[in-house]
Amino acid sequence: MRMKGISQAIAQAISQEMERRSDIVVLGEDVTYWGAVFGFTMGLFDKFGRKRVVDTPITEQTFMGMAVGMASVGLHPVVSLMFVDFLGAGFDQMYNHMAKNHYMSGGQFPMPVTVITAIGGGYGDAEQHSQVLYGLFAHVPGFKVVVPSNAYDAKGLTIRALRDPNPVVIFGHKLLTGLPFLPYEGGEDEVPEEPYELEFGKASVRMEGSDLTVASAGLMVHRAMRVAEKLRKEGISVEVVDLRTLVPLDEETLSRSVKKTGRLLILDEDYMSYGMTGEVTFRVQSRALRDLKAPIQRLAVPDVPIPFSEPLEKEVIPGEARIEAKIREMVS
């Protein structure tokens, strides 16, 4: 079926796994009538009822702790963290318990938890509702980090997460949800009705090219592809690699692409310092340094809070004009 946006795909994936298994329970803020606001749990309450789809107070530490307890006794909780910006309120339960209990218990307690959260700016929601922050989770051992860019990937990666015995965090960009009250920058995808899995750690080459590689995830993949399509008409051939998962990271596909093109631009909506761009740069240069024709470059959010003001927001989040200018600079 044709599907617009990642929200419907994620909700369908959860629904199909809940039909198949009785151990999956959904909890979090407004997961019932509002579908976690960004639609990731829409329709689940009507179908499965209050015993399996549970609204919680705005108490991130409490419901993250509940998820740790549920996972310890054989359930698979799906936790909605409405905005990633508020992960700090559940930090201790996530970083010190959810991510580590399997290791600390010598393997006695698997920790099958799927956390789904909304990320990103682009519509003036200001500094406490517009961050990306997946680099924080990628930094801590124990989490897998999933960043889908389209509906097909969103469904396959969500089902994979729901079958994983370890904690997985899925970061869904708001401008890719496909909801009518939000701007939309994605497309429409053909999504199989039946359940399917996509393997973690497998990047996708969205567009083949020979002059330069752009590596990115989530919303930025779409901006890179639009720029690449424009430049192709001028004879500049850009290869776009969609990372799909930051942990595990597909170093093989990345380095193979860079060995072909000789140039790499890493495009990110997370903060610049100590983030994904720096990590990918190191890993690629360790595998393909001698194949580089130019230094690796990166575009990311400078180390400032996301502004409410629309012109300032556009200034800090990489847009197509800045991406195009950077690519032209690198291939000139």
Side-chain angles (χ1 to χ4, degrees), residues 28-42 55 80-83 116 118:
E29 300 145 337
D30 291 332
V31 295
T32 58
Y33 299 105
W34 288 93
V37 175
F38 296 106
F40 301 136
T41 61
M42 60 186 169
D55 274 330
S80 170
L81 178 63
M82 193 183 297
F83 289 86
I116 301 175

Side-chain angles (χ1 to χ4, degrees), residues 185-315:
E185 293 199 26
E188 285 194 7
D189 301 290
E190 189 64 35
V191 179
E193 182 66 30
E194 65 275 10
Y196 59 92
E197 290 183 60
L198 292 180
E199 188 177 350
F200 292 159
K202 295 292 183 184
S204 175
V205 178
R206 298 292 179 197
M207 188 176 292
E208 298 270 356
S210 57
D211 294 329
L212 178 143
T213 299
V214 176
S216 192
L219 174 69
M220 291 294 135
V221 172
H222 294 273
R223 293 188 177 176
M225 289 177 65
R226 285 193 287 272
V227 172
E229 191 64 42
K230 176 182 178 182
L231 294 176
R232 179 156 301 197
K233 297 171 184 173
E234 301 177 24
I236 300 173
S237 179
V238 177
E239 182 150 301
V240 179
V241 177
D242 182 350
L243 298 175
R244 286 176 161 172
T245 63
L246 304 188
V247 180
L249 183 69
D250 185 356
E251 297 178 36
E252 179 61 35
T253 297
L254 270 172
S255 59
R256 185 168 57 243
S257 177
V258 172
K259 287 178 181 178
K260 179 174 69 171
T261 66
R263 298 177 179 86
L264 174 63
L265 171 63
I266 307 163
L267 180 60
D268 192 14
E269 196 182 329
D270 207 347
Y271 297 123
M272 175 81 80
S273 294
Y274 303 95
M276 182 267 275
T277 58
E279 184 66 25
V280 172
T281 296
F282 176 81
R283 295 199 192 192
V284 170
Q285 66 84 26
S286 69
R287 284 171 167 252
L289 180 62
R290 293 178 179 174
D291 299 285
L292 289 170
K293 300 172 184 173
I296 296 172
Q297 298 285 322
R298 54 183 178 165
L299 271 179
V301 174
D303 302 329
V304 298
I306 308 296
F308 172 79
S309 157
E310 184 179 359
L312 292 177
E313 185 185 42
K314 288 183 177 177
E315 184 64 27

Side-chain angles (χ1 to χ4, degrees), residues 12-49:
Q12 185 181 85
I14 300 170
S15 177
Q16 290 180 339
E17 283 300 286
M18 290 180 76
E19 286 175 355
R20 197 177 67 86
R21 293 162 44 192
S22 60
D23 62 323
I24 297 177
V25 179
V26 177
L27 70 157
E29 300 145 337
D30 291 332
V31 295
T32 58
Y33 299 105
W34 288 93
V37 175
F38 296 106
F40 301 136
T41 61
M42 60 186 169
L44 300 179
F45 175 67
D46 293 337
K47 193 170 184 177
F48 298 100

